[in-house]
Amino acid sequence: WIASSDIYDFASDVNSRALALGLAGSKWSHYLPPLEKLYSAMNFYVQTGIITGTIDVEGNDEEQNVYLFGEKVRFLGDASSVKGTDFLHVLGHISKNGRFVHVIKVSIANIVEKLIFGFACSLIGDMKSITDIKSVLKNLSDKDKDENDIEAIFHADDEKFVLKGTLTGKQRIFQSNKGWDGSLTIDCLNFELNSLKGRGLVINGKITKPSKRVMSNAPLYHTTSVIPLVVHFSEKVCQNPDVTGGKGSSLGKLSELSKEFQNVCTVVI
């Protein structure tokens, strides 16, 4: 994974006026706006990048090289807060200039209604957050229309973006009743963003019952207030990649499993 952009963080990058309109459009359970529940449900960050490497394909003796464009999304919030969530994601990449775009419309029962947010990357990797309170994102695939399945109009900083696209017919549908209840549809998309052609995905879904899994607050790795210059593979701190790096951390974990490695790994500063 090679990152090619800054990070988009919902808590700090969502437009405050668009957020206020989305909150005002929902029927709250209490007198005050449910900001805590909203930020818990939308506590995530996104970074765009490139995935390179090789994969094994069943029935093929040779490894296949891959060079893919995509996003890395990490959710840090409380899964119980996403109950009653409807969402529509339109994300894609333009190969001619390397621009990524991601537009999201989300509604959460009794919290927020039809909130549109997202970003368009600049050509040097800067995140341009959607700053429009009148952004438009429409899924017209189930309606009678002449051309487009997806339409979006929004401003990011001072630049206007118009996205129009058609679904390719390649679709995956998921229904879940294990861990979480809901539905998810993923479609491939051919689109134009300000007249430049790109390809991407449309992710449309609903969560009726969130996962019951609870995230542990315990630290993932052993930490230390002073980073040592040299540690043994058998020491717990050796498993922390922030201290020993990826390879050192892997060897530390292997030592924990095998109890046979007693060599030394060095921290490069």
Side-chain angles (χ1 to χ4, degrees), residues 107-142:
S107 297
I108 307 175
N110 302 320
I111 297 179
V112 72
E113 184 70 20
K114 295 181 180 178
L115 171 62
I116 298 177
F117 60 97
F119 62 85
C121 286
S122 72
L123 303 186
I124 59 173
D126 293 335
M127 285 288 192
K128 290 187 173 184
S129 300
I130 292 178
T131 54
D132 211 336
I133 62 172
K134 297 182 180 180
S135 300
V136 176
L137 177 57
K138 297 180 181 179
N139 185 350
L140 306 173
S141 58
D142 58 349

Side-chain angles (χ1 to χ4, degrees), residues 242-262:
D242 292 334
V243 176
T244 59
K247 291 183 179 179
S249 173
S250 298
L251 290 171
K253 294 172 184 176
L254 288 173
S255 299
E256 178 75 15
L257 294 173
S258 65
K259 301 296 184 181
E260 295 179 358
F261 297 94
Q262 296 297 328

Side-chain angles (χ1 to χ4, degrees), residues 3 6 28 42 67-68 116 160 169 181 186 190 207 229 265:
D6 293 334
W28 309 335
M42 305 299 293
Y67 189 87
L68 307 174
I116 298 177
K160 182 179 179 180
D181 290 346
I186 302 176
N190 292 329
I207 300 175
L229 294 177
C265 66

Side-chain angles (χ1 to χ4, degrees), residues 21 25 35 52 108 121 128 130 144 154 209-211 236 238 258 260:
L21 287 175
L35 288 174
T52 63
I108 307 175
C121 286
K128 290 187 173 184
I130 292 178
D144 293 333
F154 60 93
K209 182 180 178 182
S211 172
K236 291 286 187 181
C238 189
S258 65
E260 295 179 358

Side-chain angles (χ1 to χ4, degrees), residues 37-269:
K37 289 184 177 180
L38 174 65
Y39 283 115
S40 179
M42 305 299 293
N43 186 6
F44 71 92
Y45 65 84
V46 178
Q47 188 174 39
T48 64
I50 299 167
I51 300 173
T52 63
T54 58
I55 59 173
D56 291 320
V57 180
E58 186 176 356
N60 195 327
D61 295 334
E62 296 183 0
E63 290 185 332
Q64 304 296 310
N65 294 318
V66 295
Y67 189 87
L68 307 174
F69 302 93
E71 292 185 8
K72 181 186 289 186
V73 182
R74 186 176 185 186
F75 177 71
L76 302 172
D78 182 2
S80 64
S81 301
V82 300
K83 181 179 180 180
T85 298
D86 287 281
F87 55 88
L88 172 63
H89 291 256
V90 177
L91 60 153
H93 176 261
I94 299 173
S95 58
K96 186 173 182 178
N97 60 10
R99 187 190 295 276
F100 288 88
V101 62
H102 192 159
V103 188
I104 306 164
K105 180 164 66 174
V106 63
S107 297
I108 307 175
N110 302 320
I111 297 179
V112 72
E113 184 70 20
K114 295 181 180 178
L115 171 62
I116 298 177
F117 60 97
F119 62 85
C121 286
S122 72
L123 303 186
I124 59 173
D126 293 335
M127 285 288 192
K128 290 187 173 184
S129 300
I130 292 178
T131 54
D132 211 336
I133 62 172
K134 297 182 180 180
S135 300
V136 176
L137 177 57
K138 297 180 181 179
N139 185 350
L140 306 173
S141 58
D142 58 349
K143 297 179 174 60
D144 293 333
K145 82 293 182 203
D146 296 328
E147 297 181 4
N148 302 310
D149 295 311
I150 299 294
E151 292 183 357
I153 303 173
F154 60 93
H155 285 81
D157 290 346
D158 296 327
E159 188 173 358
K160 182 179 179 180
F161 292 91
V162 178
L163 184 151
K164 296 182 179 181
T166 56
L167 304 181
T168 66
K170 297 180 179 179
Q171 184 183 78
R172 292 292 183 269
I173 300 175
F174 302 92
Q175 295 285 343
S176 174
N177 55 13
K178 294 182 179 180
W180 62 278
D181 290 346
S183 59
L184 182 69
T185 303
I186 302 176
D187 292 275
C188 293
L189 176 72
N190 292 329
F191 67 89
E192 288 189 1
L193 182 68
N194 292 358
S195 300
L196 291 177
K197 294 182 178 181
R199 294 182 178 181
L201 297 174
V202 176
I203 305 175
N204 199 0
K206 181 179 181 65
I207 300 175
T208 55
K209 182 180 178 182
S211 172
K212 295 181 179 179
R213 291 185 300 176
V214 179
M215 295 180 63
S216 173
N217 293 323
L220 295 176
Y221 304 103
H222 182 80
T223 58
T224 179
S225 57
V226 179
I227 298 178
L229 294 177
V230 178
V231 295
H232 288 277
F233 286 138
S234 58
E235 295 183 51
K236 291 286 187 181
V237 72
C238 189
Q239 300 178 31
N240 189 335
D242 292 334
V243 176
T244 59
K247 291 183 179 179
S249 173
S250 298
L251 290 171
K253 294 172 184 176
L254 288 173
S255 299
E256 178 75 15
L257 294 173
S258 65
K259 301 296 184 181
E260 295 179 358
F261 297 94
Q262 296 297 328
N263 294 322
V264 176
C265 66
T266 304
V267 180
V268 179
I269 300 178

Side-chain angles (χ1 to χ4, degrees), residues 22-41:
L23 288 167
S26 180
K27 296 181 179 180
W28 309 335
S29 300
H30 303 282
Y31 293 108
L32 296 176
L35 288 174
E36 184 176 348
K37 289 184 177 180
L38 174 65
Y39 283 115
S40 179

